[in-house]
Amino acid sequence: ILALCDIMSYLNNIKTLTKGKTMTKLDKIAKALGVKETQKIINLILELEYDYDRMSESGQETYEKLMTVLEIK
């Protein structure tokens, strides 16, 4: 799982896309919602990370799926 500073660095380094460059899921989300909104979402996900050990097995599976879908794990 990426650390907060890694994700913040990633978002701060999102550049204008050029032809032939593949967009990641976070790039697409940031482009659609804006970097600030994307950062809010990532911050909420990172807050969940602190409770991972206390989550039910089902909750942990859902968290893992979310991380996979967002391509941040």
Side-chain angles (χ1 to χ4, degrees), residues 12-49:
N12 288 331
N13 291 322
I14 291 177
K15 297 178 182 176
T16 304
L17 299 172
T18 58
K19 283 187 176 182
K21 188 169 185 176
T22 304
M23 291 178 67
T24 66
K25 294 271 175 121
L26 287 177
D27 290 331
K28 291 177 183 178
I29 293 168
K31 187 173 180 182
L33 298 177
V35 174
K36 287 182 182 180
E37 288 300 311
T38 304
Q39 185 62 54
K40 287 179 188 177
I41 292 167
I42 291 171
N43 288 344
L44 291 170
I45 293 168
L46 290 174
E47 284 182 32
L48 287 174
E49 181 181 4

Side-chain angles (χ1 to χ4, degrees), residues 7 10 49 51 57 60:
I7 294 172
Y10 173 82
E49 181 181 4
D51 293 324
E57 186 175 328
Q60 289 178 353

